[in-house]
Amino acid sequence: MQENMGNRSDAVSGNAAAPVSAIEERSITEKLETVLGNLPPDRVTLEEIRDLIGQDGLLLLSAFLTLVFLVPVSIPGVSTVFGAAILLIGISRLMGRNLWLPGRIARKTLPAENIRNAIRRGAKWLRSLEKVSRPHRMSGFVTAPMADMVNSCAMIAGAVLLMAPFGLVPFSNTLPALALLFLAIGLLQKDGLHILCGHLLNVATVIYFSVLIVGGGVAIREVFRRLAG
């Protein structure tokens, strides 16, 4: 009888191990589809999204949060909440600590269906990046002595740019979101070319915002000059 129980125990443990290995072998997009399927039907908090992905999936969580901004769908408050979360992820990576979210950000509720639809439409970018990624390409961007610090700082910079108050301006969220997505995929896949693209998109975002600020300043000055005249 003890032998039968031992065999049964081995069978159960064997069955339990299979799904875990299957999950670990899934692609990034398949993991995100699993997370999407487990989202609450009505409202969702950032805390719930974090718990679904897991504490060890910070880069996966970053990629997940950027997908909303890759399609022309406006969800009020998302860039601030998601940008703040990615900012904290970058800081966590920089300091080598687990992700901590302030209660106000963690419990901020957002419409689950809108986020689910936007992420599914934006996931085509993720699938494309995943298909063309090559592990250990241009490995200096991953393995160099200062690479972790530089890449974490780039994630922090991208998150700050995502939170910038230009939400109604075309591409103001898309450019930093793409930078963060390239960085996240590059770090997940150990692909230096994707990481380099992320850095370049951060620079492009800074240039774009500078043009907006300078152009807006010139326009305002011209308005005041005409009013004064």
Side-chain angles (χ1 to χ4, degrees), residues 185-215:
I185 297 301
L187 290 169
L188 280 167
Q189 304 283 70
K190 303 293 188 289
D191 186 346
L193 181 58
H194 276 58
I195 294 173
L196 175 60
C197 289
H199 289 302
L200 294 176
L201 281 165
N202 266 345
V203 173
T205 305
V206 171
I207 294 172
Y208 182 54
F209 284 1
S210 299
V211 171
L212 289 177
I213 293 170
V214 172

Side-chain angles (χ1 to χ4, degrees), residues 68-69 71-79 111 114-115 118 121 167-168 173:
V68 175
F69 307 103
V71 293
V73 176
S74 178
I75 306 175
V78 169
S79 64
N114 289 354
I115 291 175
R121 289 157 64 182
L168 297 179
N173 285 334

Side-chain angles (χ1 to χ4, degrees), residues 65-72 78-80 82-83 86 162 173-174 177:
L65 297 179
T66 62
L67 297 179
V68 175
F69 307 103
L70 303 183
V71 293
V78 169
S79 64
T80 302
F82 284 13
I86 297 172
L162 184 62
N173 285 334
T174 303

